[in-house]
């Protein structure tokens, strides 16, 4: 049984009349064990792009990577392999098999690898069909409550209207988790981000097809090491209070605010997916009615619940004071992650403005991003930004847009924009 | 539970303004008000795992809203912290005697203390206010109040040293017991803190005790905690006279309002404790001629309403609201003081005084052994 702990970082002292309380809650899990440790079945689907554009080294690398992934899927795990173009096809179990998913064992592993080897590149790209097929396959194994998929593509979702993908993402959200991978530079960051964000997965750009196999190996290994099938973050606010936002801020920035489901009138639950032994940070902001100086009150209970059972609880407090030396201090954790979240949106907005030809806005936004990356010590973001802008003064955020930017560099910056560095403690 | 929940002051989620009952929109900001269903008690799972370090009073009710206190020590409804029994308690030793001792809003500790007793024809009210600049004054004030009450209880009918006689002999006996009670309170502090007696600032507290014995009220005090007689149909009066900087200023002719807001207003000139220069309680005696209230309180109340006539108006109105119940009335006065800012600990002790009807008006039911 996994053990969760929750630790709260905040300045609980509020100036007279103040209403908004911010806190960073660090949730740590340990002893999660292997996937399926809790008794829930595990299911894994690998979706690889088999559209015409994949022909050549990309498809060869993707097929090899899928075979490597199959090697990593633990015996007993329900699995399937899907190839996707403008339609989706079940590659394994074979299309004529009675079962949509089978449990991994030696024979199935060998047969699946053989089936993957026969995938050929043809057709266009309609990722909604891939997601809907995966959803239908997962639905045949209700006993497998921990469901994970990998989606790999190299191109744009060009064979269907844009909303078809969004509709499919909405339909399958909450049914399984999905990591998205884009190989090369011809796919759309925004399309895959929509998938990975909604399906509680990660997004990576793989520049060199030869790196796909290593990435798939790591992905499946991580999935197989997630012993907690599904955990939810719960936020209680006092009567009359209001949750302003709930945001995962580490390892990546993901806004969870809109994903609230009600536990009771005062408590909302936010999905966090499966957990291995790991640590994630959440930024919770709540608004409570201001109280007289001297009053203490609980502003939020931030809890981790698995199967409806609360396993850890962090208390966010508010204490009104007229001592400015106490109330003026900003928690370094809150400041750090506020900056990191702004960094992510500054990068995304800056790149979007540049793509739209609005160079003035792009310069301001990317300049702000350079400034924030410097302030929060996110050196990786700084080096990625450096490939897109000339930095005149990082402290002031003065930059010039580079004239000739490799699309891959721009995509790498965009893809990694939500990655945060941890606060130095 | 419903009646408790409905008493919760509803606040607008958007702007925090107080809402009228059953309001559908906030009158301040216009936000739509979503009705909040009373929260069901948390499932046992939630309670068991909601956090370590619980106060062990899972079933306790929140004093602010009546909600349940979770094991993490905060209300499940409004988030206020559970108060320790020392921070807020109510006593009602008899139907006519009640009091509330409360931490107030601004202080982190309740250094006030009270000890009450009451019975057929008598009431004993003791209030002590710990001097907050001295450490452990909360313990000192509690020890003093309890020791003083123990002495006074000896004087009631059936007690070890029951006061007998009538008229001035009777009140003089009570005055003597009040002086002894103050001395016993002082000794209790010293006994509890012998090892601290040589500290720079040993613990100390004020003392005020009111005795109701039939139609007699006898009061003793040191410091600025007060006793007031608030008759229903006559002029109210402050019975005690503060031993304080403010009182000294007023004795020199400074106006009350000015004196009570001066920097030295709350510097008390007499108190109980190891460093007290003089622990002889001053006493005063009154005979009442009609029903009314004996109010004994700490400065946490009278700071917000010092003049006897204004405080009497407040008390009468509050008592009327509370159906004349002394404990409820004391509680409402504490709530009122906290609403004014609650800058200090607040203690309000009340005894309803209904003097024996004179013999000539009804010889059948009136007690004949008094007066």
């Amino acid at each position: 049984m996994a053990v969760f702990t929750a630790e709260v970082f905040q300045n609980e002292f509020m100036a007279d009349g103040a209403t908004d309380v911010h806190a960073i809650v660090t949730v740590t899990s340990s002893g999660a064990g292997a996937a399926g440790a809790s008794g829930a079945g595990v299911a894994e689907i690998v979706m690889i792009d088999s559209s015409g554009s994949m022909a050549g080294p990309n498809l060869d690398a993707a097929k090899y990577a899928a075979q490597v992934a199959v090697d990593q899927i633990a015996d007993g795990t329900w699995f399937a392999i899907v190839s996707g173009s403008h339609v989706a096809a079940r590659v394994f179990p074979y299309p004529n098999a009675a079962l949509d998913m089978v449990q991994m064992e030696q024979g199935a592993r060998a047969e699946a690898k053989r089936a993957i080897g026969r995938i050929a590149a043809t057709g266009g790209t309609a990722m909604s069909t891939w997601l809907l097929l995966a959803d239908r396959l997962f639905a045949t194994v209700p006993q497998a409550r921990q469901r994970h998929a990998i989606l790999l593509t190299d191109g744009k979702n060009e064979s269907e209207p844009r909303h078809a993908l969004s509709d499919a993402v909405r339909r399958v959200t909450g049914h399984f988790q999905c990591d998205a991978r884009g190989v090369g530079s011809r796919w759309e960051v925004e399309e895959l981000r929509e998938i990975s964000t909604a399906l509680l997965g990660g997004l990576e750009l793989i520049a060199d097809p030869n790196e796909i196999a290593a990435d798939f190996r790591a992905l499946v290994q991580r999935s197989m090491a997630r012993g907690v099938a599904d955990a939810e973050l719960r936020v209680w606010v006092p009567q009359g209070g209001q949750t302003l936002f709930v945001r995962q801020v580490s390892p990546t920035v993901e806004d969870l605010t809109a994903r609230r489901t009600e536990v009771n009138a005062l408590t909302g639950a936010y999905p966090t997916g499966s957990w291995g032994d790991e640590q994630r940070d959440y930024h919770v902001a709540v608004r409570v009615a201001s109280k007289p100086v001297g009053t203490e009150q609980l502003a939020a209970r931030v809890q981790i619940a698995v199967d409806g059972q609360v396993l850890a609880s962090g208390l966010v407090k508010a204490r009104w004071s007229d001592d400015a030396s106490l109330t003026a201090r900003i928690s370094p954790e809150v400041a750090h992650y506020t900056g990191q979240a702004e960094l992510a949106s500054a990068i995304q907005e800056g790149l979007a403005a540049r793509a739209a030809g609005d160079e003035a806005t792009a310069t301001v936004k990317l300049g702000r991003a350079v400034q924030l990356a410097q302030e929060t010590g996110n050196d990786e973001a700084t080096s990625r930004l450096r490939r897109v802008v000339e930095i005149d003064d990082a402290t002031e955020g003065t930059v010039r847009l580079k004239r000739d930017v490799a699309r891959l560099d721009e995509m790498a910056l965009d893809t990694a924009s939500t990655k945060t560095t941890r606060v130095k403690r | 539970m419903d009646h408790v929940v409905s008493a919760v002051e509803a606040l607008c989620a958007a702007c925090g303004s107080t809402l009228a009952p059953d309001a559908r929109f906030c009158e301040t900001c216009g936000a739509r008000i979503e009705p909040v269903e009373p929260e069901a008690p948390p499932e046992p799972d939630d309670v068991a795992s909601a956090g370590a370090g619980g106060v062990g009073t899972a079933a306790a009710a929140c004093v602010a809203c009546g909600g349940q206190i979770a094991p993490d020590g905060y209300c499940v409804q409004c988030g206020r912290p559970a108060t320790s029994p020392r921070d807020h308690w109510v006593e009602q030793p008899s139907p006519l005697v009640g009091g509330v001792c409360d931490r107030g809003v601004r202080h982190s500790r309740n250094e006030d203390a009270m000890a009450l007793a009451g019975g057929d024809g008598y009431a004993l009210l003791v209030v002590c206010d710990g001097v907050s600049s001295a450490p452990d004054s909360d313990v000192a004030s509690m020890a003093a109040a309890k020791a003083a009450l123990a002495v006074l209880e000896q004087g009631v009918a059936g007690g070890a040293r029951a006061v007998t006689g009538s008229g001035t002999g009777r009140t003089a006996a009570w005055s003597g017991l009040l002086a002894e009670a103050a001395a016993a309170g002082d000794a209790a502090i010293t006994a509890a803190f012998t090892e601290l007696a040589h500290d720079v600032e040993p613990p100390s507290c004020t003392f005020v005790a009111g005795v109701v014995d039939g139609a007699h009220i006898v009061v003793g005090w040191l410091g600025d905690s007060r006793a007031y007689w608030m008759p229903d149909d006559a002029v109210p009066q402050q019975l005690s006279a503060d031993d304080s900087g403010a009182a000294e200023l007023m004795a020199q002719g400074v106006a009350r309002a000015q004196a009570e807001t001066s920097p030295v207003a709350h510097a008390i000139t007499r108190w109980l404790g190891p460093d007290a220069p003089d622990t002889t309680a001053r006493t005063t005696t009154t005979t009442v001629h009609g029903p009314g209230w004996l109010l004994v309180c700490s400065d946490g109340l009278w700071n917000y309403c010092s003049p006897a006539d204004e405080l009497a108006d407040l008390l009468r109105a509050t008592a009327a609201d509370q159906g004349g119940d002394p404990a409820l009335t004391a509680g409402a006065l504490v709530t009122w003081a906290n609403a004014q800012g609650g800058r200090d600990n607040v203690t309000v002790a009340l005894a309803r005084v209904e003097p024996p009807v004179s013999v000539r008006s009804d010889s059948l039911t009136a007690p004949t052994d008094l007066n």
Side-chain angles (χ1 to χ4, degrees), chain A residues 234 236 238-240 242 264-267 287 289 291-298 301 303 308-310 313 315 317 322, chain B residues 8 11-14 16 36-37 39 43 45-46 49-51 70 72 74-81 103 105-106:
Chain A
R234 290 186 178 180
W236 170 97
Q239 192 155 47
Q242 179 190 5
N264 57 48
L266 302 177
T267 311
R287 177 167 293 167
K291 303 282 188 314
V293 166
T295 311
E296 179 195 349
Q297 90 158 95
L298 195 61
R301 288 184 176 91
Q303 305 173 320
Q309 199 171 346
V310 175
S313 185
L315 303 182
K317 295 172 188 173
D322 48 13
Chain B
V8 174
L11 298 174
C12 172
V36 176
E37 294 302 317
E39 189 183 49
E43 294 157 28
D45 285 349
D46 287 358
S49 52
D72 59 24
Y74 293 86
C75 176
V76 298
Q77 199 76 28
C78 73
R80 296 299 184 95
R103 182 170 59 94
V105 174
R106 300 287 287 252

Side-chain angles (χ1 to χ4, degrees), chain B:
Chain B
M1 192 70 190
D2 279 352
H3 65 287
V4 177
V5 171
S6 64
V8 174
E9 181 184 62
L11 298 174
C12 172
C15 73
S17 303
T18 305
L19 298 171
D22 302 316
R24 293 172 62 208
F25 293 90
C26 174
E27 292 207 299
T28 306
C29 73
R32 176 185 287 278
I33 306 306
E34 304 296 342
V36 176
E37 294 302 317
E39 189 183 49
E43 294 157 28
D45 285 349
D46 287 358
V47 173
S49 52
V55 292
T57 51
C62 172
V63 294
C65 79
Q68 200 178 0
I69 299 294
D72 59 24
Y74 293 86
C75 176
V76 298
Q77 199 76 28
C78 73
R80 296 299 184 95
T83 51
S84 88
R86 183 69 183 86
D87 282 347
H88 177 99
W89 82 94
V90 182
E91 284 186 31
Q92 182 153 26
S94 84
L96 298 182
V97 178
V100 173
C101 185
D102 186 86
R103 182 170 59 94
V105 174
R106 300 287 287 252
H107 283 229
S108 59
R109 229 171 29 159
N110 183 13
E111 288 159 342
D112 275 11
M114 70 175 175
L116 313 180
D120 191 20
Y122 78 94
L124 308 172
L125 314 178
V126 182
V127 169
C128 292
D129 177 354
V131 175
S132 57
S133 56
D136 296 319
S137 286
D138 55 333
V139 184
S141 61
M142 192 63 112
K146 286 185 169 168
L149 182 69
V151 170
L152 295 177
E153 282 185 308
Q154 294 176 10
V156 302
R161 298 158 66 195
V163 170
T164 55
S166 62
T168 50
R170 196 173 176 90
T171 55
W174 277 117
S175 296
L177 278 174
L178 279 165
E180 280 186 46
D186 185 62
I189 299 173
T190 307
F193 293 94
T194 35
E195 71 277 18
L196 294 177
H198 301 292
D199 277 11
V200 180
E201 189 156 27
S204 54
C205 67
T206 69
F207 169 82
V208 60
V211 174
V212 177
D213 179 10
H216 301 297
I217 294 178
V218 189
V219 167
W221 73 93
L222 293 107
D224 66 352
S225 297
R226 289 181 180 174
Y228 292 85
W229 166 238
M230 309 292 204
D232 293 351
D233 303 308
V235 178
Q237 52 181 312
Q238 182 182 332
L239 301 176
S240 57
D242 300 350
D243 298 311
S244 71
E248 291 192 350
L249 287 173
M250 281 189 280
Q252 293 161 23
V254 178
R256 172 182 286 270
Q258 197 184 339
E260 286 181 351
T261 53
S262 86
V264 298
H266 287 269
I268 54 174
T269 51
R270 281 149 41 89
W271 61 89
L272 298 183
D275 65 344
D278 165 23
T279 58
T280 312
R282 288 201 275 166
T283 61
T284 184
T285 299
T286 308
T287 300
V288 306
H289 302 288
W293 293 95
L294 173 64
L295 165 66
V296 174
C297 65
S298 65
D299 59 350
L301 176 68
W302 68 252
N303 271 337
Y304 297 110
C305 192
S306 175
D309 52 345
E310 289 175 24
L311 190 51
D313 289 343
L314 175 69
L315 170 61
R316 287 167 189 150
T318 307
D321 284 349
Q322 302 297 330
D325 181 280
L328 292 179
T329 304
L333 288 171
V334 165
T335 303
W336 176 85
N338 283 335
Q340 309 308 304
R343 289 184 165 271
D344 205 345
N345 307 141
V346 194
T347 306
V348 178
L350 286 168
R352 180 67 189 163
V353 183
E354 284 163 357
V357 184
S358 70
V359 176
R360 59 187 154 78
S361 70
D362 189 343
S363 58
L364 287 176
T365 57
T368 53
D369 59 337
L370 293 170
N371 291 322

Side-chain angles (χ1 to χ4, degrees), chain A residues 63-374:
Chain A
K63 284 159 69 171
Y64 172 63
Q67 289 167 335
V68 168
V70 164
D71 276 333
Q72 299 299 322
I73 295 173
D75 284 359
T77 304
W78 299 90
F79 82 106
I81 309 296
V82 167
S83 71
S85 58
H86 59 286
V87 289
R90 196 181 76 210
V91 172
F92 190 87
Y94 286 112
N96 60 354
L99 291 171
D100 281 309
M101 297 189 80
V102 292
Q103 283 184 286
M104 182 62 86
E105 42 82 27
Q106 254 345 312
R109 184 171 287 121
E111 208 55 50
K113 288 161 85 169
R114 193 169 306 137
I116 291 167
R118 296 199 189 111
I119 297 175
T122 175
T125 305
M127 286 186 266
S128 71
T129 63
W130 315 0
L131 293 173
L132 294 174
L133 176 60
D135 192 41
R136 195 176 63 70
L137 300 183
F138 278 129
T140 64
V141 284
Q143 67 273 39
R145 287 180 41 228
Q146 182 168 343
R147 301 162 174 185
H148 176 254
I150 303 172
L151 182 151
L152 173 86
T153 185
D154 77 331
K156 283 181 65 165
N157 193 46
E158 59 197 2
S159 306
E160 63 181 351
R162 182 65 183 81
H163 69 81
L165 177 59
S166 297
D167 291 346
V169 167
R170 256 195 304 279
R171 270 180 62 182
V172 306
T173 294
H175 298 181
F176 59 94
Q177 287 184 251
C178 184
D179 285 297
R181 295 293 185 258
V183 60
S185 63
R186 286 174 305 170
W187 54 282
E188 289 293 324
V189 176
E190 174 265 332
E191 288 172 356
L192 291 200
R193 181 181 287 139
E194 180 175 339
I195 296 171
S196 65
T197 298
L199 303 186
L200 304 173
L203 168 64
E204 294 282 353
L205 177 153
I206 303 174
D208 178 356
N210 293 321
E211 292 165 7
I212 304 174
D215 181 69
F216 274 28
R217 180 184 290 119
L219 266 183
V220 176
Q221 280 173 350
R222 199 182 320 149
S223 173
M224 293 294 122
R226 289 189 159 157
V228 178
D230 193 17
E232 63 185 16
L233 189 75
R234 290 186 178 180
V235 178
W236 170 97
V237 295
Q239 192 155 47
Q242 179 190 5
T243 306
L244 296 176
F245 63 77
V246 176
R247 193 188 278 158
Q248 180 188 290
V249 287
S250 174
T252 56
V253 178
E254 305 288 354
D255 194 346
L256 301 173
T257 313
R259 308 188 68 165
R260 180 185 200 269
T261 53
E262 188 165 286
V263 176
N264 57 48
L266 302 177
T267 311
Y270 303 85
T272 66
S274 57
W275 286 66
D277 289 350
E278 60 185 299
Q279 195 163 68
R280 302 184 198 174
D281 291 343
Y282 296 91
H283 184 168
V284 173
V286 301
R287 177 167 293 167
V288 295
S290 183
K291 303 282 188 314
V293 166
T295 311
E296 179 195 349
Q297 90 158 95
L298 195 61
R301 288 184 176 91
V302 181
Q303 305 173 320
I304 277 285
V306 174
D307 294 331
Q309 199 171 346
V310 175
L311 297 185
S313 185
L315 303 182
V316 179
K317 295 172 188 173
R319 192 190 291 269
W320 283 270
S321 167
D322 48 13
D323 182 346
S325 67
L326 294 175
T327 59
R329 205 175 59 85
I330 296 173
S331 148
E333 291 80 10
V334 170
H336 175 83
Y337 283 127
T338 302
Q340 293 267 295
E342 193 192 340
L343 171 62
S345 51
I347 289 173
Q348 290 173 23
E349 287 163 20
L351 290 176
R354 184 190 168 106
D358 180 356
E359 298 209 341
T361 303
T363 306
V364 169
K365 293 284 184 189
L366 294 175
R368 175 67 180 147
V370 165
Q371 194 178 26
L372 286 162
Q374 158 119 345

